[in-house]
Every structure is written in structure tokens, then in C-alpha cells.
Amino acid sequence: MITLSNLAVQFGKRVLYKDVNMKFTNGNIYGVIGANGAGKSTLLKAISGELEPTKGTVELGPGERLSVLSQDHFKYDEFTVLDTVLMGHTVLWDIMKERDALYAKTDFSDADGIRVAELEDKFAEMGGYNAESDAAALLSGLGIKEDKHYTLMGELSGKEKVRVMLAKALFGEPDNLLLDEPTNDLDLETVQWLEGYLSEFEHTVLVVSHDRHFLDSVCTHTVDIDFGKVTLFAGNYSFWYESSQLALRQAQNQKAKAEEKKKELEEFIRRFSANVSKSKQTTSRKKMLEKLNVEEIRPSTRKYPGIIFQMEREPGNQILEVENLKAVTDDGTILFDNVNFTVEKGDKIVFLSRDPRAMTALFEIINGNRPAQQGTYNWGVTITTAYLPVDNTKYFESELNLVDWLSQFGEGNEVYFKSFLGRMLFSGEEVLKKVNVLSGGEKMRCMIARMQLKNANCLILDTPTNHLDLESIQAFNNNLKLFKGNILFASHDHEFIETVANRIIELTPNGTIDKMMEYDEYIADDHIKELKDKMYGC
């Protein structure tokens, strides 16, 4: 349990929030949401003690332990992977180190013997004899194989370190758990494992994430930072988003009577509650909506970018044909081989692989930016493409301001280009900023504006939600669902895939798995799981 009393955080004259009085209780998972800069990560830091709040107190339940997902991936480089995870339970780790130090003494005394006996009792009481096997199970669940458990952290890749740090945070089932962007750099299968793990976690969790499906799957409550306040709502992210949009429409409809508004809100709660109770998500098992009331629902101050893709012309019958395509890395790793597929009108295809480099290689090849080791591809004569690469660094190595930068990619006057930047929430003096100082999220919004200029009938998107906030992801997702042309994309956003794709192609070193089906059905199909293991040579 975590209790916040009169909490306030202020930087200079800027007040993030004040008078925060809130209690987070066992068995619930709280998703912390808010616009960029609202103070989501700051709230977690104030709770963990990493940041001293301007005012107020944070209290845990008596004798409770708090664990935090660390963002410092270099701190443990001199330790083994397994020891790093064990260090997540600080009390147990301290007992282990003191016990081992005493056993290593050459002049072991009677007093040492008494102390070791005390430590052994505590060690056993805390499940110490199962600690290594429990830590190993966590690591394996997160995709770190046994042959790396005794490797030094400094020898791991950045993505592997992320998984170890997550295992460290989860180890020992802490009473209170703070997770800041836990799904970053996790593949879809590992995110699914984490969702399952948290579904059985009966303690208190606060999580910040831009992954909407993850928030919907695990969260029983939403902590919204808006209006300069921190407000607690029952329900997951989708409930908050849909209810806030409904409240906004009602606020704009001045003619609607108060009774009619209340009736509409009550009907919305009833429908949403019924859907959750029928779902397989964690939230349905944790009685997410048991204490909802109409008064909780209010419009948000969030701004959503205007992401609108329009086609200049309808695509013809021939979209794209790929025959016998193969891609190999510089070190000889086969990313994919014997890839054959034909894109049909209306196809919105998500490309999957256990190696994310495979999708990037495919997109780079069909965009003419990289040669294939083997095979051909052929675009239809009516097809125009707009490409969003996963790495946009080369586009921003410039001293140009936003307007001049965007004008490189289309024809029009300054007002025309400012209108596209305005849709992407760049206004006033912001459009005169130099592009080489933009943040990752700002660069992505510029790249999306660039794509909109093309009026293409085929969109190619390599991990399009990278660096975007929840508002931009939601707006992007909403428009792609309505887009009438073709979409070829890769993503680690479950919701994005499930709501956009009508076809799935998995790239493997031994060909493709090509299915016209929903993503949730695809990942649950046991036959496909067996086929994937065979295709990857497992």
C-alpha cells in the first residue's frame, strides 16, 4: 500500500501538481497517464524517494518493500546477470553477502557461528534457498536464456539489459512495484509474458507506459495527471479515453439536457463493464469497474495531432509482388529467405519476425534503399508510397527550421507547410526551431507531416509508434483504421496491430507464414506456434 498525503511537486515557479491525497492499495494496478511533461515519471520518482517532493509525504504499509524498475543500465556492468536480479531484493541480498563473508573467514569465531545461524534462519524464512531458481525463472520468462545467467551485465546488449533490470524489479514479489515504461525494447511475446505475470501479482503496482494494450490488459485504475492535478479513476486506459471523449462531445453539445447526458454516461459505463467482464484481460479478473460513478467522467485537456492520410489516386489491381527475396546481415545472419507474397487491394499487412532487423531490411529493400541478397520485387504502376523509417537520423542533420525542412518534400507556400505542422501540434514560434534540436517525439511528428504531403496510396511504416506519446499514437491509430489504401507495417504495439492489420506475414530464415486473420487469433493458435518454431529452426 502507498499513501500520498498533501503531495506537491514544483520546479521553480512551475507547479506540476499539489494537494495530492491518494491511496494505492494491494491487488490493484494503477496506470499513470498524462501529456508529455505532465509529471508521470516525476510522480514515480517522488514515491520512490529518488526525488524529494516540494511538500507532503509518501508512506508505505508497515514493513513493506518497494521495488523500482531502474533506468540505469550501466550500474551493474561488473555483476553477473543472476546476481543483478538477486540484488532486486535488497534485504535478502544483504543477508546473502553477510553470510558468505562470515563463511569465508579464516578465524571463524563462536560469535560468528551465532550470527550465521541467525542469518540462515532469516534466509530460509525469506525463501532464500529458492532465490536463484526463482531469479532464473524470471530471466527465462523475459527471454534471457540460461547460458547468459552467469554472464557479466557489461557483456549484454542494451535490449538484454532492459530485460534483466525488469527481472530485478520483479524479483521477490515486492509489496509495492513502480514500473516506468516496462515494455520498452520488449518483443510482443515477452510483453505478453509480463501481462500474464502481473495478472497474478497481488500487490500494489504503479506503471507508466505508452503501450495502450498493456495498460488495458493489466490496469484496474487510471491515474490521470491533467489540469495541474492528479486524479484517480476506476478503469483502464480505454475506459478513460472513451469516457473523456464522450464527456468532451457532451460538453460541446450545449443543447443536451443534464438528464440526457447522465443517461448516456450511465449507458456507456454499463456497456464497458459488460465488455470487460467477458474479456480475457487481467482487468476483468480484478473487478476493474466495480466502483465507477458518472461524476468521475470529464473531458481532458489533451491535444491530439491531426494525422490525416489522404490518397491522390485510387490504387490499381497490381500493388506489389515479391518473389524469392532474401536478406543477410554483414555478419552472415539470415534475416529472411524465400520470401514470396503478393499485396492485394485493401491489404493492411503487419510484418512480424523474432528478429526486428528483418522487417527493417524488407522495408529498406522495397523502398530501393538496400539491395537484396536474392529475389525481386515489383510495384504496380499506379502505386505511390510514403515511407516512415525506424531510423530517421539522416533527415535531421540540418540547420533548417521546421518550415524550410518540410518544404523540401512538397510544393506550396509557407502557409501551406505551416498548416501541416500545425496539424502536428507545432504552432507559433515553434515552427522556426531548427530541426537538429528536436526531441525524438517531435522528429516523429515531422516525419508524419512529411508523409501526409505525399498523398500516397500505400503507406510503409517501420515501428511507427516509437517516441510518440499516447495522444499521437491514438490519433495515428484512429486514422489508419479509416485509410482506404494499402498499409505495410511493423510494430510492437499490440493495439496498433490488432486494430489496423487484416493480414499477417511473419518473416523467418526459412520462408514466410502468411495468414488472413486477426492478431489475437494468430498469437493464440497452437498450430501456428508449432509452425513458427519449425520455421525458425527451434
Side-chain angles (χ1 to χ4, degrees), residues 260-277:
E260 292 175 353
K261 289 182 179 181
K262 184 175 181 180
K263 185 176 180 180
E264 187 179 11
L265 291 168
E266 287 175 339
E267 172 62 16
F268 167 75
I269 292 174
R270 187 193 64 75
R271 283 189 291 104
F272 200 94
S273 300
N275 289 338
V276 169
S277 67

Side-chain angles (χ1 to χ4, degrees), residues 31-36 40 181 207-216 222-224 236-238 240-241 302-305 307 425 465-478 493 495-496:
V32 183
I33 64 171
N36 281 352
K40 302 182 292 294
E181 296 293 354
V207 56
V208 173
S209 178
H210 287 153
D211 186 327
R212 296 161 300 157
H213 184 273
F214 180 74
L215 290 175
D216 280 351
T222 298
V223 178
D224 182 34
N236 60 16
Y237 172 77
S238 283
W240 172 86
Y241 173 74
R302 308 282 206 288
K303 292 182 178 179
Y304 292 81
I307 300 177
L425 306 182
T465 60
N466 271 10
H467 303 294
L468 293 180
D469 57 24
L470 275 169
E471 291 71 46
S472 298
I473 292 171
Q474 191 74 57
F476 207 164
N477 198 165
N478 289 346
D493 186 308
E495 187 76 9
F496 215 86

Side-chain angles (χ1 to χ4, degrees), residues 302-366:
R302 308 282 206 288
K303 292 182 178 179
Y304 292 81
I307 300 177
I308 305 170
F309 292 107
Q310 296 175 322
M311 299 186 297
E312 192 169 292
R313 66 181 295 182
E314 285 282 330
N317 291 325
Q318 184 182 352
I319 312 297
L320 173 66
E321 292 183 359
V322 171
E323 293 185 4
N324 201 31
L325 215 59
K326 180 178 182 178
V328 181
T329 64
D330 291 339
D331 65 5
T333 301
I334 298 175
L335 297 175
F336 55 78
D337 194 4
N338 193 30
V339 170
N340 297 275
F341 63 86
T342 299
V343 179
E344 307 290 347
K345 262 184 116 171
D347 276 350
K348 295 181 178 180
I349 305 173
V350 61
F351 291 88
L352 307 176
S353 178
R354 290 180 180 174
D355 189 335
R357 296 176 298 175
M359 287 84 79
T360 296
L362 175 69
F363 296 150
E364 287 290 293
I365 289 169
I366 64 176

Side-chain angles (χ1 to χ4, degrees), residues 177-217:
L177 180 59
L178 307 182
L179 301 174
D180 193 351
E181 296 293 354
T183 64
N184 277 4
D185 290 318
L186 299 185
D187 59 33
L188 288 160
E189 290 182 359
T190 309
V191 172
Q192 195 175 7
W193 176 90
L194 181 59
E195 289 172 0
Y197 181 89
L198 291 176
S199 73
E200 305 297 329
F201 194 80
E202 291 301 328
H203 304 293
T204 306
V205 183
L206 271 73
V207 56
V208 173
S209 178
H210 287 153
D211 186 327
R212 296 161 300 157
H213 184 273
F214 180 74
L215 290 175
D216 280 351
S217 294

